[in-house]
Amino acid sequence: MSNKENTSEEIDLGQLFTLIGNAFNRFFRFIGNIFKGLFHYIILFLQFIQQHFWKFAIAGVIGIIGGGYWDYVSEPVYKSSMVVEPNFNSVQQLYNNIEFYNELAEEEEFQSLAEALKVSVEEAASMKKFEIESFSDQTQKIKQFSEFIKELDTISQKKVDFDDYLKNFNNINAKFHKVTIEAKDAKVAKKCQWAIVSSIENNQYFKLQKQINEINLALQDSIVEKQLLEIDSLQKFYRKIKTLEASKPEGSTSINLADSESDKSPEIELLSQIKLLKNEMVVLNDKKANTTNTINIISAFPNKGVLINDVLKRKIVLLPLVLIGAVFLFLWVLSLNTFLKNYKKEQIQ
């Protein structure tokens, strides 16, 4: 009985190993067929290129000659950039304005563009592209996150971490933004600078925000100054008490204004408060300097833009690629049409 059971177990194990072996064989055969198919299509592609090589070469040469001539007769384009720091949540309006200028340039509405940027129609016609982008490194993002956390209450601070902040960080959240103008006139960007900035500065909403900010800063400044005066009066009062105590004979009752539970004397406490108030004054002065304008110009447009000499944008590079691509597509369509005709004939036969 046991011999029969051992025999059946050996047969089952043999069948199992045979099935596993067959599965591996099918899998490797499948992978091999994929590579064979890829190799076959690569060979067909190379044969196609070999068959029409001179047609591609002629198209490339024509493209180089035509693109070189196009670059030669084309007017040079210059790029100018300005870095700004928007205040009072004006960054969205700035993005909208730059997008509006770019649409006018693309649609060749040069009269409207000239009126918006306070330049001549000829100068407006020289403008080709307007762009705006934000830039912020990791250090700047950490600083902004720290400022953001300070504005939240204690419960909200525990619910927000740096990773959550980065997930929701976008262009609008960045502190600095770069405005770029591409134009055929190398000096026109500098002439547009005042109009771009004043379009935000003259907005009534941002004017009101700026006025309220100035009032609030002046109020905070006056409070700090008043507190410093009060501390100065207390210091004089303590010095007077010290003088009176020193002039009394020994054994008389002395006046102790220090808190019995505190190890620090009142004078030291006052000095600590003075330090805190002066630090607060420094912060207020920084805020005054940074919010004097609705748009702070960190780096103005240069007097003359930089010539755009990007190889990938030159016609001598782009035109050959376009012509070769067009020839390739045309020949591929012809080959496909021939294949379909032959396939139809084979089916009929």
Side-chain angles (χ1 to χ4, degrees):
M1 186 73 177
S2 60
N3 290 334
K4 290 182 179 179
E5 290 178 357
N6 292 334
T7 304
S8 62
E9 288 178 2
E10 290 176 0
I11 292 172
D12 291 339
L13 288 174
Q15 291 176 346
L16 177 62
F17 284 119
T18 301
L19 290 173
I20 293 173
N22 292 337
F24 274 107
N25 288 334
R26 285 195 295 269
F27 174 74
F28 287 118
R29 202 161 34 236
F30 172 74
I31 298 296
N33 290 334
I34 291 176
F35 280 106
K36 286 180 182 178
L38 287 174
F39 182 74
H40 174 70
Y41 286 114
I42 290 172
I43 294 299
L44 288 178
F45 175 76
L46 293 176
Q47 287 178 341
F48 179 81
I49 297 297
Q50 184 186 43
Q51 183 181 357
H52 303 287
F53 175 78
W54 289 110
K55 296 172 185 175
F56 294 132
I58 292 170
V61 171
I62 293 173
I64 291 172
I65 295 172
Y69 178 75
W70 194 350
D71 285 331
Y72 179 76
V73 299
S74 297
E75 293 184 61
V77 178
Y78 300 88
K79 178 187 285 188
S80 303
S81 298
M82 171 178 67
V83 178
V84 297
E85 179 188 11
N87 292 317
F88 314 120
N89 297 320
S90 60
V91 61
Q92 185 62 66
Q93 184 63 50
L94 179 62
Y95 271 74
N96 291 341
N97 288 3
I98 298 301
E99 184 178 350
F100 173 66
Y101 301 148
N102 189 58
E103 288 177 356
L104 291 178
E106 288 179 347
E107 296 171 4
E108 298 185 354
E109 296 286 343
F110 300 130
Q111 182 65 42
S112 300
L113 185 60
E115 293 174 359
L117 296 176
K118 306 295 187 294
V119 294
S120 66
V121 177
E122 291 77 14
E123 289 171 328
S126 72
M127 298 183 192
K128 297 300 178 185
K129 192 175 183 180
F130 291 80
E131 285 183 332
I132 182 169
E133 60 179 346
S134 65
F135 61 94
S136 182
D137 57 17
Q138 193 73 1
T139 303
Q140 190 63 48
K141 289 178 181 179
I142 292 172
K143 288 181 179 179
Q144 289 182 245
F145 175 70
S146 178
E147 294 172 0
F148 172 73
I149 285 293
K150 289 178 182 178
E151 298 176 356
L152 301 178
D153 55 74
T154 307
I155 299 174
S156 300
Q157 287 178 359
K158 294 179 180 178
K159 294 181 178 180
V160 179
D161 58 20
F162 186 62
D163 291 333
D164 293 331
Y165 180 78
L166 287 181
K167 288 178 183 177
N168 296 287
F169 192 90
N170 54 38
N171 291 340
I172 305 302
N173 301 128
K175 189 174 183 180
F176 302 110
H177 304 265
K178 183 167 71 173
V179 179
T180 303
I181 297 178
E182 293 182 8
K184 293 180 179 179
D185 187 341
K187 299 180 180 180
V188 71
K190 187 69 175 179
K191 298 178 182 179
C192 300
Q193 180 174 301
W194 180 84
I196 293 173
V197 174
S198 64
S199 65
I200 308 295
E201 295 278 358
N202 295 331
N203 185 293
Q204 291 300 319
Y205 172 77
F206 299 125
K207 274 186 176 180
L208 178 61
Q209 293 295 314
K210 184 172 174 292
Q211 290 173 0
I212 293 173
N213 180 73
E214 290 173 352
I215 293 171
N216 290 337
L217 290 177
L219 179 60
Q220 291 176 356
D221 198 27
S222 64
I223 291 172
V224 172
E225 288 180 357
K226 185 178 180 181
Q227 288 176 329
L228 285 172
L229 289 174
E230 290 175 350
I231 290 175
D232 184 62
S233 299
L234 280 173
Q235 284 181 318
K236 290 178 181 178
F237 175 71
Y238 284 130
R239 282 196 293 268
K240 187 182 291 186
I241 295 297
K242 291 285 186 182
T243 304
L244 289 173
E245 287 180 348
S247 63
K248 286 184 179 182
E250 293 184 6
S252 59
T253 306
S254 62
I255 302 172
N256 185 11
L257 297 176
D259 187 353
S260 59
E261 297 181 358
S262 176
D263 295 333
K264 294 182 180 179
S265 65
E267 291 86 349
I268 295 176
E269 290 286 352
L270 291 177
L271 289 173
S272 299
Q273 289 298 318
I274 290 173
K275 184 178 180 181
L276 291 174
L277 290 172
K278 286 186 175 180
N279 288 337
E280 190 173 342
M281 288 186 72
V282 171
V283 173
L284 287 173
N285 289 334
D286 287 339
K287 286 184 178 180
K288 287 179 186 178
N290 291 332
T291 58
T292 301
N293 302 307
T294 305
I295 299 288
N296 293 330
I297 300 177
I298 308 301
S299 175
F301 282 124
N303 292 326
K304 185 177 180 180
V306 178
L307 178 66
I308 297 177
N309 197 22
D310 190 350
V311 174
L312 297 178
K313 291 185 178 181
R314 296 179 65 180
K315 305 300 184 298
I316 197 172
V317 176
L318 293 177
L319 191 57
L321 295 177
V322 171
L323 290 179
I324 291 172
V327 171
F328 177 85
L329 183 62
F330 177 74
L331 294 174
W332 181 80
V333 170
L334 288 180
S335 299
L336 179 62
N337 185 54
T338 303
F339 171 78
L340 292 175
K341 287 181 178 179
N342 295 333
Y343 182 80
K344 188 175 180 181
K345 290 178 181 179
E346 291 176 0
Q347 292 293 97
I348 293 174
Q349 292 175 358

